[in-house]
């Protein structure tokens, strides 16, 4: 059963289903919304979400890194941030993630209090750093906010929230100007103005870029500013384990996060007045992804365990053009940890796709040819590969002037050249790879979630901007806009909150096994790596670019069985409920995100945007509704679903 509820100016609907996600916490789906005995007929993405969640009190409103970079984990901060227990740290703001969203937010809130930036690896290791193409924004007189909005809505298969789209497209240009003022250096044309590129799905040239290393340049500028801010401390190699939560009447409240220092194997507890989750995506639920190794869905899984609402997880964007190593003249010696991205801008600059018989195929699938949105191009390539039993297609830009190619795509040219491929003379072998999660933790117009004190920004969030498919170069833009929009409500929440110095004792402490070099840990690590590969294989085989109900149900069953076997193995080896380790914690997060994707995909009985199923091959207007996974009230005590909730203290 599905109930349609009209949604705001964009006529957005909420897609509600009886289906339960067989996920981390037996998530609840709902089939109708009843308030005071009657069905609400009007509810929008932002201002009605609190009613949707039935929370009464909390209302929604609508790289090349500098050589001078030093880790900041040991920086001296104010006495309020460092108390006697060195494993417990107190901050006004805790920021989980060091990509563009986390850093931009940290720089703003640092004007009002102490900030901990918690990052899983080095500070620059984020999806931002790997973003090649650029940031989309209306910066040309011939362009308009309305045009950018329309392109976004079309690419998102009209599942986008119109109010969110308008906010992002309107505020985007100012966010770009702020970056420039901070020292970000973007490419300029001969006339001295910003060089604006065009990418698939865009009707105008509006992509601000720094050659093919835009994310790296933005990250560089933001990190340099963070280094010079005395109110910000960066804790690198700190893996976020779980959010610390408690119940306050009808509301769930976030008080910070537990982390594992992966270098010292110590657990550190961060108690904070406000927490921003900016931890990125979950590309590594698939065997081939453009995401760096840190993208294991940690934020989405943590938020899900902490009772946050999750939305639109079925919409996984596969970038149509990742470098196909099998097609290189010289094969890489070892497999990459993440696929090398061939930016959308190559097709935007005139790159043409061919099969191995040098037949141009995109005009057969879409009148926009190579400039069609990513979901169309990815499905077209997938169809070619399956029909022809081939492993990659060719992307050719060699017909363009050599100087132009090398100036626009120096990073891609250098990467290919080390494997014997000159892109100014030869085509690039490419294949689709998992790239971007359009779904995530449900957010309002100020990055707020249904959990008090918890805000989200960047890829971990589902703001309503992307709908069923992200328009190229809208991701960095969204991260910048929502990082800024989350600032004021965060400050307000911080000022109205206080740090309870006894709070560190409210939750059971995670522990690291005493003997990391023992056979037990070796066996756990070996088994976990095997299981991780199996999970990725299941996801690619059954939950890839083209889906079916049978395949999704097969995936659901196999994932559930695989997780049960893995967890049984852990406990047979002596693992305990309170134990934590990097590989094991990443694995439970990958399982959680994979199940959320599968459950959401099974609930959508149509093909829209990135979700294409052969059983429901058409777009159904009556099903133009976001998929919503509500928090579960069922207490699930398995290790994979364990939530760090406040203990009852007598």
């Amino acid at each position: 059963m599905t109930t349609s509820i009209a949604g705001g100016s964009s006529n957005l609907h909420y897609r509600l289903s009886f289906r339960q996600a067989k996920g981390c916490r037996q998530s609840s789906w709902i089939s109708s919304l009843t308030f005071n005995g009657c069905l609400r007929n009007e509810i929008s993405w932002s201002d009605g979400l609190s009613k949707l969640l039935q929370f009464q009190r909390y209302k929604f409103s609508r790289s090349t890194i500098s050589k001078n970079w030093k880790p900041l984990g040991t920086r001296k901060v104010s006495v309020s941030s460092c108390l006697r227990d060195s494993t417990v740290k107190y901050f006004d703001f805790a920021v989980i993630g060091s990509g563009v969203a986390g850093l931009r937010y940290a720089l703003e809130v640092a004007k009002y209090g102490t900030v901990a930036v918690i990052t899983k690896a080095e500070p620059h290791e984020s999806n931002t750093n790997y973003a090649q193409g650029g940031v989309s924004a209306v910066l040309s007189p011939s362009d308009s906010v309305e045009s950018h909005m329309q392109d976004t809505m079309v690419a998102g298969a009209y599942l986008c929230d119109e109010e969110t789209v308008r906010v992002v497209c309107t505020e985007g240009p100012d966010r770009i100007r702020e970056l420039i003022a901070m020292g970000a250096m973007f490419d300029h044309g001969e006339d001295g103005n910003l060089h604006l590129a065009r990418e698939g799905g865009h009707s105008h040239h509006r992509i601000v870029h720094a050659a093919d290393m835009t994310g790296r340049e933005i990250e560089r500028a933001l990190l340099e500013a963070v280094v010079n801010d005395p109110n910000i401390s960066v804790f690198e190699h700190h893996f976020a384990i779980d959010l610390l939560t408690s119940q306050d009447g009808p509301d769930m409240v976030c008080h910070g996060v537990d982390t594992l220092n992966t270098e010292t194997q110590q657990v550190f507890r961060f108690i904070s007045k406000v927490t921003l989750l900016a931890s990125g995506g979950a590309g590594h639920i698939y065997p081939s992804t453009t995401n760096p190794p840190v993208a294991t869905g940690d934020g989405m899984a943590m938020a899900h365990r902490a009772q946050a609402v999750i939305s639109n997880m079925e919409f996984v964007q596969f970038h149509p053009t990742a470098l196909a190593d099998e097609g290189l003249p010289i094969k890489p010696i070892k497999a990459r940890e993440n696929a090398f991205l061939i930016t959308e801008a190559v097709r935007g600059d005139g790159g043409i796709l061919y099969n191995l018989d040098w037949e141009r195929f995109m005009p057969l699938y879409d009148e926009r040819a190579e400039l069609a949105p990513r979901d169309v191009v990815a499905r077209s390539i997938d169809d070619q590969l399956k029909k022809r039993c081939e492993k990659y297609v060719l992307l050719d830009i060699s017909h363009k002037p050599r100087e132009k190619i090398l100036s626009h795509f120096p990073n891609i040219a250098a990467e290919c050249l080390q494997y014997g491929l000159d892109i100014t003379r030869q085509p690039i072998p490419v294949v689709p790879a998992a790239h971007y999660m359009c779904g995530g933790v449900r957010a309002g117009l100020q990055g707020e979630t249904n959990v008090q004190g918890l805000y989200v920004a960047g890829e971990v969030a589902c703001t309503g901007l992307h709908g069923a498919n992200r328009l190229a170069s809208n991701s960095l833009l969204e991260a910048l806009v929502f990082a800024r929009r989350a600032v004021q409500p965060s400050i307000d929440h911080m000022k109205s909150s206080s740090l309870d110095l006894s709070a560190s004792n409210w939750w059971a402490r995670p522990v690291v096994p005493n003997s990391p070099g023992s056979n037990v840990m070796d066996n756990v690590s070996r088994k976990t790596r095997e299981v991780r590969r199996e999970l990725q294989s299941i996801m690619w085989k059954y939950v890839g670019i083209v889906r079916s109900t049978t395949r999704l149900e097969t995936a659901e069953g196999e994932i559930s069985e695989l997780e049960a076997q893995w967890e049984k193995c852990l406990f047979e080896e002596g693992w305990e409920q309170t134990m934590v380790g990097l590989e094991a914690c990443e694995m439970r997060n990958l399982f959680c995100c994979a199940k959320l994707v599968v459950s959401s995909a099974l609930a959508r009985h149509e093909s829209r945007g990135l979700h294409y199923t052969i059983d429901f091959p058409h777009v159904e207007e009556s099903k133009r509704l976001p998929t919503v996974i509500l928090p579960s009230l069922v207490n699930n005590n398995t290790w994979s679903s364990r939530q760090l909730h406040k203990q009852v203290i007598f």
Side-chain angles (χ1 to χ4, degrees):
M1 176 180 175
T2 299
T3 301
S4 299
I5 301 176
S9 58
S10 63
N11 199 30
L12 181 70
H13 289 54
Y14 287 97
R15 184 165 190 285
L16 309 168
S17 166
F18 272 128
R19 178 173 185 76
Q20 282 199 340
K22 295 183 179 178
C24 304
R25 299 188 56 82
Q26 293 183 327
S27 307
S28 300
W29 295 75
I30 59 175
S31 60
S32 63
L33 302 179
T34 305
F35 306 105
N36 299 324
C38 63
L39 186 69
R40 288 281 303 218
N41 291 320
E42 295 183 1
I43 185 167
S44 70
W45 180 281
S46 50
D47 58 32
L49 191 50
S50 59
K51 300 181 181 66
L52 170 68
L53 305 179
Q54 299 177 11
F55 285 102
Q56 298 169 1
R57 188 162 67 86
Y58 184 52
K59 294 179 65 178
F60 275 62
S61 65
R62 263 303 261 175
S63 150
T64 301
I65 304 302
S66 168
K67 294 181 180 178
N68 296 324
W69 166 253
K70 301 290 184 185
L72 302 182
T74 57
R75 171 186 284 168
K76 185 177 181 181
V77 295
S78 64
V79 68
S80 64
S81 300
C82 298
L83 300 180
R84 274 180 267 177
D85 185 350
S86 62
T87 65
V88 181
K89 301 182 182 296
Y90 294 81
F91 285 87
D92 293 314
F93 303 92
V95 178
I96 304 172
S98 60
V100 59
L103 296 181
R104 190 69 192 89
Y105 173 90
L107 287 167
E108 291 300 319
V109 296
K111 300 170 185 176
Y112 301 89
T114 55
V115 184
V117 174
I118 300 160
T119 185
K120 189 173 177 179
E122 288 78 22
H124 64 270
E125 187 68 0
S126 66
N127 277 354
T128 295
N129 201 45
Y130 290 81
Q132 295 177 351
V135 191
S136 60
V138 177
L139 294 164
S140 167
S142 62
D143 199 0
S144 67
V145 168
E146 287 70 24
S147 176
H148 192 182
M149 287 181 61
Q150 180 64 17
D151 292 344
T152 299
M153 299 285 285
V154 170
Y158 294 96
L159 194 65
C160 312
D161 176 60
E162 187 172 350
E163 187 176 6
T164 302
V165 175
R166 182 173 296 281
V167 162
V168 173
C169 293
T170 301
E171 297 181 7
D174 284 342
R175 303 292 82 84
I176 300 298
R177 295 183 187 104
E178 288 173 355
L179 284 179
I180 294 172
M182 294 172 62
M185 294 178 287
F186 299 114
D187 289 353
H188 288 70
E190 294 179 359
D191 58 1
N193 295 321
L194 284 170
H195 181 272
L196 301 177
R198 183 182 174 191
E199 296 181 352
H202 289 273
S203 58
H204 289 77
H205 288 75
R206 63 167 70 102
I207 313 301
V208 181
H209 61 97
D212 58 352
M213 296 172 283
T214 308
R216 190 179 303 179
E217 173 57 20
I218 294 173
E219 187 85 356
R220 179 202 63 78
L222 291 173
L223 274 175
E224 286 190 0
V226 164
V227 168
N228 294 317
D229 195 310
N231 257 7
I232 302 176
S233 297
V234 177
F235 296 85
E236 61 180 47
H237 299 289
H238 279 61
F239 171 76
I241 301 168
D242 265 313
L243 298 170
L244 306 171
T245 59
S246 69
Q247 192 83 25
D248 180 12
D251 295 329
M252 189 67 70
V253 183
C254 180
H255 303 275
V257 63
D258 272 347
T259 71
L260 172 66
N261 184 322
T262 55
E263 291 192 323
T264 66
Q265 296 301 304
Q266 284 181 286
V267 172
F268 288 88
R269 176 159 286 176
F270 289 82
I271 305 297
S272 59
K273 298 177 183 177
V274 177
T275 302
L276 176 80
L277 197 54
S279 53
H284 281 271
I285 59 175
Y286 291 94
S288 179
T289 175
T290 61
N291 294 183
V294 294
T296 52
D298 308 317
M300 295 169 184
M302 281 193 300
H304 180 58
R305 290 193 292 270
Q307 304 288 302
V309 177
I310 307 294
S311 189
N312 286 358
M313 287 293 285
E314 68 269 38
F315 299 118
V316 181
Q317 187 174 77
F318 291 85
H319 198 289
T321 57
L323 185 63
D325 289 344
E326 289 181 306
L328 292 170
I330 302 172
K331 306 296 186 293
I333 296 174
K334 63 177 183 177
R336 300 176 192 267
E337 289 185 309
N338 51 287
F340 184 80
L341 176 66
I342 305 299
T343 174
E344 190 97 10
V346 173
R347 287 183 285 118
D349 258 16
I352 298 174
L353 286 163
Y354 298 96
N355 58 34
L356 297 190
D357 283 336
W358 278 96
E359 298 168 339
R360 186 183 183 188
F361 57 84
M362 276 310 302
L364 302 175
Y365 295 95
D366 194 284
E367 61 183 10
R368 293 164 291 186
E370 282 78 13
L371 291 180
R374 289 177 177 178
D375 60 321
V376 175
V377 180
R379 278 198 300 274
S380 302
I381 293 174
D382 183 70
D383 187 58
Q384 284 285 305
L385 297 180
K386 288 176 178 174
K387 283 180 177 177
R388 299 172 58 83
C389 297
E390 293 171 351
K391 295 184 177 180
Y392 58 87
V393 298
L394 303 172
L395 176 60
D396 188 37
I397 192 71
S398 64
H399 51 281
K400 293 294 182 178
R402 175 183 176 84
E403 296 74 20
K404 182 178 180 181
I405 295 172
L406 294 179
S407 65
H408 285 191
F409 312 113
N411 191 37
I412 294 172
E415 179 71 17
C416 290
L417 195 58
Q418 67 174 313
Y419 299 109
L421 183 71
D422 182 353
I423 69 170
T424 67
R425 299 172 56 233
Q426 300 165 278
I428 308 168
V430 295
V431 67
H435 184 57
Y436 189 88
M437 305 294 293
C438 290
V441 184
R442 188 81 170 244
L445 277 175
Q446 293 179 307
E448 72 273 38
T449 70
N450 62 292
V451 179
Q452 288 276 1
L454 179 66
Y455 297 81
V456 290
E459 190 174 350
V460 72
C462 183
T463 66
L465 175 68
H466 305 307
N469 180 29
R470 176 177 68 94
L471 180 64
S473 290
N474 264 4
S475 55
L476 291 177
L477 180 72
E478 179 197 39
L480 288 166
V481 169
F482 275 88
R484 286 290 282 112
R485 291 186 71 83
V487 169
Q488 191 56 54
S490 296
I491 294 166
D492 294 341
H493 187 87
M494 184 272 292
K495 290 180 177 178
S496 65
S497 303
S498 60
L499 287 175
D500 187 334
L501 301 186
S502 67
S504 64
N505 299 316
W506 290 356
W507 303 271
R509 286 291 189 100
V511 296
V512 179
N514 290 328
S515 305
S518 68
N519 289 335
V520 170
M521 286 306 298
D522 288 344
N523 292 340
V524 168
S525 294
R526 184 177 63 255
K527 179 63 176 178
T528 298
R529 287 192 290 270
E530 292 174 0
V531 167
R532 181 164 170 162
R533 288 192 292 270
E534 288 182 50
L535 174 66
Q536 292 170 333
S537 178
I538 292 169
M539 290 298 291
W540 179 246
K541 185 175 181 180
Y542 300 117
V543 201
I545 296 171
V546 176
R547 302 163 177 174
S548 72
T549 301
T550 299
R551 277 185 272 187
L552 290 171
E553 289 175 343
T554 300
E556 186 176 51
E558 290 191 7
I559 291 170
S560 179
E561 183 178 344
L562 182 64
E563 184 182 30
Q565 291 173 355
W566 172 70
E567 197 163 302
K568 180 182 178 183
C569 172
L570 256 62
F571 285 95
E572 286 177 347
E573 291 288 350
W575 198 264
E576 297 177 6
Q577 282 285 340
T578 55
M579 285 184 178
V580 294
L582 176 62
E583 290 178 316
C585 287
E586 282 187 334
M587 191 68 246
R588 74 167 180 165
N589 292 339
L590 289 167
F591 269 123
C592 181
C593 288
K595 291 183 291 186
L596 291 172
V597 170
V598 173
S599 295
S600 298
L602 278 166
R604 183 166 292 281
H605 294 171
E606 65 164 349
S607 289
R608 185 181 295 274
L610 298 166
H611 174 71
Y612 183 83
T613 169
I614 59 175
D615 293 311
F616 305 98
H618 305 295
V619 174
E620 298 288 343
E621 185 59 24
S622 63
K623 300 182 185 300
R624 184 162 63 90
L625 313 164
T627 308
V628 177
I629 301 178
L630 296 180
S632 171
L633 300 180
V634 177
N635 186 22
N636 191 330
N637 288 319
T638 66
W639 182 74
S640 290
S641 61
R642 178 175 178 262
Q643 176 190 355
L644 279 180
H645 193 66
K646 182 179 178 181
Q647 302 173 98
V648 178
I649 301 175
F650 297 99

